[in-house]
């Protein structure tokens, strides 16, 4: 009986360690995969928004019309939309009021915006000091009437990505606890 108890306790310990390692590696892999999937979706949204913008949208200074479009698109896709002119000037942002737009710093140095202004899609993860939240940003170059005019940036809070990961971790914990619960009676 003593040998069987030791064997069962060893099994529980090994199972716990194995599931902890599984959680560690799967969480990291799932986070990376989720971020890539969400970024791809954000790029698609940015390209769709580009097709809906009026041809001369970025020729004018930041205005109410462009801000209303940012708000409408942001609400439709449940994300933050920012329109950025080729010099890095923010023209509209769905998370800001029209009055706040004029006080926003130039975005040319932001990694994803720099990529988009150079003609390539880009994405980055960082904390937004404007809305004080960790965000995944994806920016696509904006070409109106065949010429590079700026960038469309679409952003989503990382808490939405974290929800998928939390669900997976709960499943691993539940399975681990059920397996330990099934093995423990044999160890006692």
């Amino acid at each position: 009986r003593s040998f069987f108890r030791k064997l069962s306790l060893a099994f529980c310990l090994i199972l716990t360690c194995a599931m902890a390692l599984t959680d560690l590696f799967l969480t990291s892999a799932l986070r990376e995969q989720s971020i890539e999937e969400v970024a791809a979706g954000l790029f698609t949204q940015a390209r769709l928004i580009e097709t809906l913008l009026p041809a001369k949208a970025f020729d004018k200074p930041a205005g109410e019309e462009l801000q209303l479009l940012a708000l409408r698109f942001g609400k439709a896709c449940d994300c933050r939309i920012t329109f950025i002119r080729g010099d890095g000037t923010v023209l509209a942002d769905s998370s800001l009021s029209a009055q706040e737009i004029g006080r926003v710093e130039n975005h040319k140095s932001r990694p994803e915006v720099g990529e988009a202004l150079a003609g390539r899609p880009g994405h980055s993860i960082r904390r937004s000091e404007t809305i004080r939240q960790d965000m995944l940003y994806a920016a696509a170059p904006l070409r109106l009437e065949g010429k590079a005019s700026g960038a469309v940036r679409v952003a989503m809070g990382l808490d939405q990505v974290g929800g998928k990961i939390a669900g997976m971790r709960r499943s691993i914990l539940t399975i681990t606890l059920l397996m330990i619960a099934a093995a423990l009676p044999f160890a006692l």
Side-chain angles (χ1 to χ4, degrees), residues 96-135:
L96 302 173
S97 69
Q99 294 77 27
E100 293 171 306
I101 296 296
R103 294 189 299 266
V104 174
E105 64 199 42
N106 190 293
H107 279 33
K108 194 171 194 169
S109 64
R110 308 282 166 91
E112 73 285 353
V113 175
E115 288 291 315
L117 295 178
R120 301 176 300 274
H123 76 276
S124 68
I125 297 171
R126 67 172 184 287
R127 182 157 184 82
S128 167
E129 294 309 320
T130 307
I131 63 171
R132 297 182 187 352
Q133 184 180 2
D134 290 334
M135 304 286 286

